[in-house]
Amino acid sequence: MKLLHTADWHIGRTLNGYSLLDEQKAAFKQIMAIALAEHVDGIVIAGDIYDRAVPSTDAVTTLDQMLQTINIEHHLPIYAIAGNHDGAKRLNYGREWLAHTDLYLNTLLAEAFTPIETPDAQIFMLPFFDPIDARVYYQKQGLPEQEVKAIHTINDAMDLVLTDLKQLFDPNKRRVLITHFTVTPKLDTELDLTSETTSKVGGLATLTTDQFDQFDYVMLGHIHTRLASPDKERMRYAGSPVKFNVKEANSKFHGKGVDIVTITDDAISREFMPIKPQTDLVALKEDWQTLIDPAFYQMQPLEQAWFAITVTNFDRSRHLNVRAQLQQIYGTIVELDYQDRQTTTDEQTTRKIDELSPDELVNQFFHSITGNDLSTDQQQLVDQILVDLRKEE
């Protein structure tokens, strides 16, 4: 069995107001060409299919055309899961009848406990979920109340989920997992690699490789570079097919592409297949004199790429119409920043709101108003309210 592993399409993404749909369509054409040339038996999309929970009309139309090309025109199975950017309930529409054309789509935790059975492997599809989803699910399964209330972190939830998945293992088949989380080596390490929310993976709530030891291969989504893969042989991030921000434009994040994963009775192997950007994103960080020096800028792909430029040692009082001057030289500039001589930048910023779990968000708001953290009783009340709200969705 041969599968193409891709992830983090983020259909509908923009870059500082510039639509990336044309770039995403161009990347998809290459993905499709690779799939056909390699004669794959299916395509895996490991989460973050859309860029937002309520995608635009153009994004929906674009994804619909892509899925039809794969599944209807070329009759290839699709194994797709929801990521943290996807609206799980909205994306879930039609999943039961889509499965009749071999378009398998899991967006809710409850759906993860029915693996896809092939002659060679069991494919487990575990979408992104948070601890509240797990509390709701296990409460419905009749787990004792005290054990449900003990689910506070993603590690608490994942340990329960993986224990239940392992009960479904067929010892005569390869076990493949598709999921969408931050996974790091077991060692307490901080990887300086990019995700869609932060440049410090170690700053996120992470899972560790040892939790997935009983799977033969894990296809990951969530981190946008394959260089973040926590186990080069057994656990792989596909990375995003398009560069989405300046961090991904840096040289060490070059190399967008997909993995071709071959599963046999004896082994699982993979081969990386590169994707060439239609319009590259180039990040430059230089002082003003360097940026306007022909000896420097003539070495750049002028009028062929998008540029994200940071002007260092910048004296604002000496320069006017900086963007206009640079655009005359470089063409499209999607981002322009300055580092003044008198200031320095601090990359250790406070956690973004979209990185906080719902209970953390409530606690942070409570602290900002009262100066105190939630008490144990208050925290339990918040937990129960959040569970009740999730049930109503």
Side-chain angles (χ1 to χ4, degrees):
M1 184 180 191
K2 186 184 286 190
L3 297 173
L4 184 149
H5 173 203
T6 180
D8 296 282
W9 286 9
H10 288 272
I11 301 298
R13 184 87 165 221
T14 61
L15 178 57
N16 294 334
Y18 289 84
S19 173
L20 293 175
L21 272 181
D22 285 343
E23 307 306 313
Q24 292 167 326
K25 291 175 182 178
F28 172 75
K29 288 181 179 179
Q30 294 180 66
I31 291 173
M32 200 66 239
I34 292 169
L36 296 176
E38 293 293 320
H39 304 288
V40 301
D41 299 300
I43 291 179
V44 171
I45 311 174
D48 281 355
I49 300 172
Y50 286 121
D51 188 55
R52 57 185 62 186
V54 183
S56 68
T57 302
D58 286 343
V60 173
T61 301
T62 297
L63 179 64
D64 180 64
Q65 292 170 345
M66 291 174 174
L67 297 182
Q68 285 193 52
T69 298
I70 298 170
N71 193 235
I72 304 301
E73 181 179 346
H74 294 290
H75 307 289
L76 286 175
I78 298 172
Y79 306 95
I81 60 171
N84 56 301
H85 276 246
D86 296 308
K89 291 287 183 68
R90 187 178 295 268
L91 188 60
N92 195 260
Y93 175 77
R95 72 175 293 273
E96 291 185 3
W97 56 263
L98 289 173
H100 290 288
T101 64
D102 293 329
L103 199 170
Y104 303 101
L105 176 64
N106 283 4
T107 73
L108 305 175
L109 176 58
E111 298 160 356
F113 300 97
T114 304
I116 307 300
E117 302 281 352
T118 76
D120 302 309
Q122 290 179 296
I123 302 175
F124 291 86
M125 298 168 54
L126 179 60
F128 177 84
F129 67 92
D130 62 28
I132 296 174
D133 296 318
R135 291 178 209 162
V136 171
Y137 172 77
Y138 280 106
Q139 191 174 69
K140 291 179 179 178
Q141 299 306 305
L143 192 70
E145 184 177 354
Q146 287 303 111
E147 294 184 42
V148 171
K149 289 183 176 180
I151 303 173
H152 291 292
T153 68
I154 190 59
N155 278 281
D156 297 334
M158 187 61 76
D159 286 343
L160 285 172
V161 170
L162 292 176
T163 296
D164 288 347
L165 290 181
K166 289 169 186 175
Q167 303 304 312
L168 306 171
F169 283 1
D170 183 340
N172 298 313
K173 292 184 179 182
R174 292 287 180 178
R175 299 180 291 271
V176 176
L177 176 66
I178 304 167
T179 195
H180 189 93
F181 288 95
T182 302
V183 183
T184 62
K186 187 176 180 180
L187 297 175
D188 184 14
T189 182
E190 184 173 277
L191 301 176
D192 185 14
L193 295 167
T194 187
S195 76
E196 80 282 5
T197 53
T198 179
S199 63
K200 294 289 186 181
V201 175
L204 299 177
T206 65
L207 303 167
T208 53
T209 52
D210 58 301
Q211 293 173 277
F212 302 90
D213 279 346
Q214 294 191 45
F215 289 95
D216 294 298
Y217 197 84
V218 182
M219 299 182 181
L220 293 167
H222 187 53
I223 308 300
H224 291 178
T225 171
R226 72 186 192 284
L227 301 181
S229 298
D231 182 331
K232 293 181 179 179
E233 300 302 321
R234 200 176 57 85
M235 301 185 70
R236 296 281 296 181
Y237 285 106
S240 60
V242 171
K243 296 177 185 178
F244 292 129
N245 55 47
V246 175
K247 294 184 179 69
E248 293 182 40
N250 291 333
S251 60
K252 67 179 178 179
F253 299 121
H254 282 186
K256 297 296 186 180
V258 299
D259 274 344
I260 301 297
V261 181
T262 303
I263 303 168
T264 67
D265 292 337
D266 301 320
I268 297 180
S269 61
R270 73 165 195 288
E271 180 181 4
F272 174 74
M273 307 293 287
I275 292 175
K276 183 178 180 180
Q278 176 176 265
T279 306
D280 205 1
L281 175 60
V282 177
L284 301 177
K285 188 176 182 180
E286 304 289 345
D287 62 43
W288 177 253
Q289 291 303 320
T290 300
L291 290 168
I292 63 172
D293 184 349
F296 174 79
Y297 67 67
Q298 287 176 1
M299 300 294 293
Q300 309 303 324
L302 306 178
E303 302 292 346
Q304 301 174 38
W306 288 343
F307 289 89
I309 298 177
T310 299
V311 187
T312 62
N313 299 319
F314 189 66
D315 185 351
R316 295 174 185 268
S317 64
R318 297 183 57 187
H319 303 282
L320 297 173
N321 299 322
V322 173
R323 178 179 286 273
Q325 293 182 63
L326 291 177
Q327 283 179 331
Q328 286 183 350
I329 296 172
Y330 293 92
T332 302
I333 298 176
V334 297
E335 185 170 308
L336 180 60
D337 288 324
Y338 307 92
Q339 285 187 359
D340 295 348
R341 292 177 178 176
Q342 295 82 9
T343 61
T344 58
T345 58
D346 182 4
E347 295 182 356
Q348 300 298 323
T349 56
T350 56
R351 293 177 69 188
K352 295 181 181 179
I353 289 177
D354 60 2
E355 293 174 29
L356 297 176
S357 65
D359 51 345
E360 289 175 324
L361 193 59
V362 172
N363 187 65
Q364 187 178 91
F365 175 75
F366 184 83
H367 188 277
S368 69
I369 298 299
T370 67
N372 299 311
D373 290 333
L374 293 169
S375 67
T376 300
D377 289 342
Q378 290 169 327
Q379 185 63 62
Q380 290 177 348
L381 177 60
V382 169
D383 286 349
Q384 189 57 53
I385 291 172
L386 291 172
V387 168
D388 291 341
L389 288 172
R390 187 60 59 90
K391 287 179 180 177
E392 294 175 3
E393 290 183 356

